[in-house]
Amino acid sequence: MQLTDAQRLDWLRLIRTEGVGPRSFRTLINRFGGAAAALDAMPDLARRQGKRLEPPTRTQAEDEIAALDRLGGRLIASGEADYPRLLQQTDAAPPLLALRGAAILNRPAVALVGSRNASTAGLAFTERLARGLGEAGLTVVSGLARGIDARAHKASLPTGTVAVMAGGQDKIYPANHAALVDAILGEGGAVLAEMPMGWVPRGRDFPRRNRIISGLSYGTVVIEAARRSGSLITSRYALEQNREVFAVPGSPLDPRAEGTNDLIRQGAALVSEVSHILDVLGPIIERGPDAEAAPARGRPDLRDQPDFWDEINLDAANPDALEPPDLFRQPEPAVSESPDDLPEPADDRARIVALLGPSPVGTDELARSAGLGIRVIQTVLLELELDGRIERHGSGTVSLLSR
């Protein structure tokens, strides 16, 4: 399938209509035979629903396409050759994706996700996994966040990486990752966004992004995650999409390992080297994305996840219509700060403490992760040693003592 320019414009107007999400979009297309007919039916649907359903104008949609084009991007539609087939198989696949960069979305991929406030040991292991997966011919997918995501992207630049954004293509988050986006595009990678140009990401947009990360991938690897980490949302969507879930174990003394250790207890595959991932995914990748899906697993409990879309209830407009149950329409919880959402440390000492954990790490690796000179690292470590905060081990490694 390949949309014409007129059809692409109609698809964009329909999916940008308030109250229309991926599921209701699909239902409207099937019911009316196309986006143009569905747009024509909007006034009647709005009247029967008793709510405002106003699509953006053609000019507004054309402006969005033009703005994306100025950034070097384009819209790809579900069913087109460049649209990722694995993602298309998922229940709430975006009808349209804004793509910048190379069309590598149908290469076999693995998602690497984890804590924003990662330890030096976690960052080093992420780099090892990303490089090994890339050398094995796999694309690394992640969410462009600081910490594990950023290290996964950087380590896989030479072999191909895909960054999935929570906001629009012109609203990079965090803003200081603009250089990383440029590097991804410059090295033949890709940057994806579901949201409109100009859209600044909100809290609920990150879980929405996470189901795209897992949907693009044959498997999701979680490296350091607290119990309420957003990375665990990605792993649960991977399960819902019948994809493999892997977790890297960590010290029971480190809160950043509580979520990953729980995943292993619940049946996720333990990962301590790249081969543990390749051994599981190799036969699955060999069968290809169009192979018969694995038996449906139990759906993950998503009751604590935010409402992604306030979708119109088409059943109310037509009692005979069969709308699939909406997995995402759940009450939005009060916003709370999880260990993964803490602000970036403001000074050198706080930054170094945040990077340390119960696992010993070398001072050179610590300096690289912190972006600080070795003299600064040694000075801060001496202060921490005098305060009884760290323990020194052989080969010049140090670890953080629990308090």
Short mmCIF file of all heavy atoms in Angstrom, two decimals, residues 155-177:
data_model
loop_
_atom_site.label_atom_id
_atom_site.label_comp_id
_atom_site.label_asym_id
_atom_site.label_seq_id
_atom_site.Cartn_x
_atom_site.Cartn_y
_atom_site.Cartn_z
N ALA A 155 26.40 4.08 21.95
CA ALA A 155 27.21 2.89 21.70
C ALA A 155 26.83 2.20 20.40
O ALA A 155 27.65 1.46 19.83
CB ALA A 155 27.07 1.92 22.87
N SER A 156 25.63 2.43 19.91
CA SER A 156 25.18 1.75 18.69
C SER A 156 25.15 2.67 17.48
O SER A 156 24.60 2.29 16.44
CB SER A 156 23.79 1.13 18.92
OG SER A 156 22.86 2.10 19.36
N LEU A 157 25.73 3.85 17.59
CA LEU A 157 25.76 4.77 16.45
C LEU A 157 26.39 4.13 15.20
O LEU A 157 25.83 4.25 14.10
CB LEU A 157 26.52 6.05 16.81
CG LEU A 157 25.79 7.05 17.71
CD1 LEU A 157 26.73 8.18 18.11
CD2 LEU A 157 24.55 7.60 17.01
N PRO A 158 27.50 3.41 15.32
CA PRO A 158 28.12 2.87 14.10
C PRO A 158 27.30 1.76 13.43
O PRO A 158 27.47 1.52 12.24
CB PRO A 158 29.47 2.31 14.61
CG PRO A 158 29.71 2.96 15.92
CD PRO A 158 28.36 3.18 16.50
N THR A 159 26.43 1.10 14.19
CA THR A 159 25.71 -0.05 13.64
C THR A 159 24.23 0.22 13.41
O THR A 159 23.55 -0.60 12.80
CB THR A 159 25.86 -1.26 14.57
OG1 THR A 159 25.48 -0.88 15.91
CG2 THR A 159 27.29 -1.75 14.59
N GLY A 160 23.72 1.36 13.88
CA GLY A 160 22.33 1.72 13.63
C GLY A 160 21.49 1.74 14.89
O GLY A 160 21.42 0.76 15.63
N THR A 161 20.86 2.88 15.14
CA THR A 161 19.99 3.01 16.31
C THR A 161 18.76 3.83 15.95
O THR A 161 18.81 4.69 15.06
CB THR A 161 20.75 3.67 17.49
OG1 THR A 161 19.90 3.69 18.65
CG2 THR A 161 21.19 5.09 17.17
N VAL A 162 17.65 3.55 16.63
CA VAL A 162 16.39 4.26 16.42
C VAL A 162 15.98 4.91 17.74
O VAL A 162 15.89 4.23 18.77
CB VAL A 162 15.27 3.31 15.94
CG1 VAL A 162 13.93 4.06 15.85
CG2 VAL A 162 15.63 2.69 14.60
N ALA A 163 15.76 6.22 17.71
CA ALA A 163 15.30 6.95 18.89
C ALA A 163 13.81 7.28 18.71
O ALA A 163 13.42 7.81 17.68
CB ALA A 163 16.10 8.24 19.06
N VAL A 164 13.02 6.95 19.72
CA VAL A 164 11.58 7.24 19.69
C VAL A 164 11.32 8.39 20.65
O VAL A 164 11.60 8.30 21.85
CB VAL A 164 10.76 6.01 20.09
CG1 VAL A 164 9.26 6.31 19.93
CG2 VAL A 164 11.13 4.80 19.23
N MET A 165 10.76 9.47 20.11
CA MET A 165 10.55 10.68 20.90
C MET A 165 9.15 10.72 21.48
O MET A 165 8.20 10.20 20.90
CB MET A 165 10.77 11.92 20.02
CG MET A 165 12.20 12.04 19.49
SD MET A 165 12.41 13.42 18.35
CE MET A 165 11.94 14.81 19.39
N ALA A 166 9.02 11.34 22.66
CA ALA A 166 7.72 11.48 23.29
C ALA A 166 6.96 12.69 22.78
O ALA A 166 5.73 12.73 22.84
CB ALA A 166 7.87 11.57 24.81
N GLY A 167 7.67 13.69 22.27
CA GLY A 167 7.03 14.89 21.72
C GLY A 167 7.13 14.93 20.22
O GLY A 167 7.34 13.91 19.56
N GLY A 168 6.96 16.13 19.66
CA GLY A 168 7.09 16.28 18.22
C GLY A 168 8.54 16.25 17.79
O GLY A 168 9.45 16.39 18.61
N GLN A 169 8.75 16.09 16.48
CA GLN A 169 10.12 15.99 15.97
C GLN A 169 10.95 17.25 16.27
O GLN A 169 12.17 17.17 16.37
CB GLN A 169 10.10 15.74 14.46
CG GLN A 169 9.78 14.31 14.06
CD GLN A 169 11.01 13.42 14.12
OE1 GLN A 169 12.05 13.80 14.60
NE2 GLN A 169 10.88 12.20 13.63
N ASP A 170 10.30 18.38 16.43
CA ASP A 170 11.03 19.62 16.70
C ASP A 170 11.13 19.94 18.19
O ASP A 170 11.59 21.02 18.56
CB ASP A 170 10.37 20.80 15.97
CG ASP A 170 8.90 20.97 16.34
OD1 ASP A 170 8.30 20.01 16.88
OD2 ASP A 170 8.35 22.05 16.10
N LYS A 171 10.70 19.01 19.05
CA LYS A 171 10.73 19.23 20.50
C LYS A 171 11.52 18.11 21.16
O LYS A 171 10.98 17.22 21.81
CB LYS A 171 9.31 19.32 21.07
CG LYS A 171 8.50 20.49 20.57
CD LYS A 171 9.14 21.82 20.97
CE LYS A 171 8.38 23.01 20.42
NZ LYS A 171 9.02 24.29 20.76
N ILE A 172 12.83 18.15 20.98
CA ILE A 172 13.70 17.12 21.53
C ILE A 172 13.69 17.22 23.05
O ILE A 172 13.81 18.29 23.63
CB ILE A 172 15.13 17.29 20.99
CG1 ILE A 172 15.15 17.08 19.47
CG2 ILE A 172 16.10 16.33 21.67
CD1 ILE A 172 16.45 17.46 18.82
N TYR A 173 13.53 16.06 23.69
CA TYR A 173 13.54 16.03 25.16
C TYR A 173 14.41 14.88 25.63
O TYR A 173 14.21 13.75 25.19
CB TYR A 173 12.12 15.87 25.71
CG TYR A 173 12.08 15.93 27.21
CD1 TYR A 173 11.96 17.15 27.86
CD2 TYR A 173 12.19 14.77 27.97
CE1 TYR A 173 11.95 17.22 29.25
CE2 TYR A 173 12.18 14.82 29.35
CZ TYR A 173 12.05 16.04 29.98
OH TYR A 173 12.05 16.11 31.36
N PRO A 174 15.39 15.17 26.51
CA PRO A 174 15.77 16.50 27.00
C PRO A 174 16.45 17.32 25.91
O PRO A 174 17.07 16.76 25.00
CB PRO A 174 16.73 16.18 28.14
CG PRO A 174 17.29 14.83 27.82
CD PRO A 174 16.21 14.10 27.11
N ALA A 175 16.36 18.64 26.04
CA ALA A 175 16.85 19.54 25.00
C ALA A 175 18.35 19.38 24.75
O ALA A 175 18.82 19.59 23.63
CB ALA A 175 16.52 20.99 25.37
N ASN A 176 19.10 19.00 25.80
CA ASN A 176 20.54 18.87 25.62
C ASN A 176 20.93 17.61 24.84
O ASN A 176 22.12 17.33 24.67
CB ASN A 176 21.28 18.94 26.96
CG ASN A 176 20.88 17.81 27.90
OD1 ASN A 176 20.07 16.95 27.56
ND2 ASN A 176 21.46 17.82 29.10
N HIS A 177 19.94 16.84 24.37
CA HIS A 177 20.23 15.69 23.52
C HIS A 177 20.08 16.02 22.03
O HIS A 177 20.06 15.10 21.20
CB HIS A 177 19.33 14.51 23.89
CG HIS A 177 19.81 13.77 25.11
ND1 HIS A 177 19.18 12.67 25.63
CD2 HIS A 177 20.90 13.98 25.90
CE1 HIS A 177 19.84 12.24 26.68
NE2 HIS A 177 20.88 13.03 26.87
#
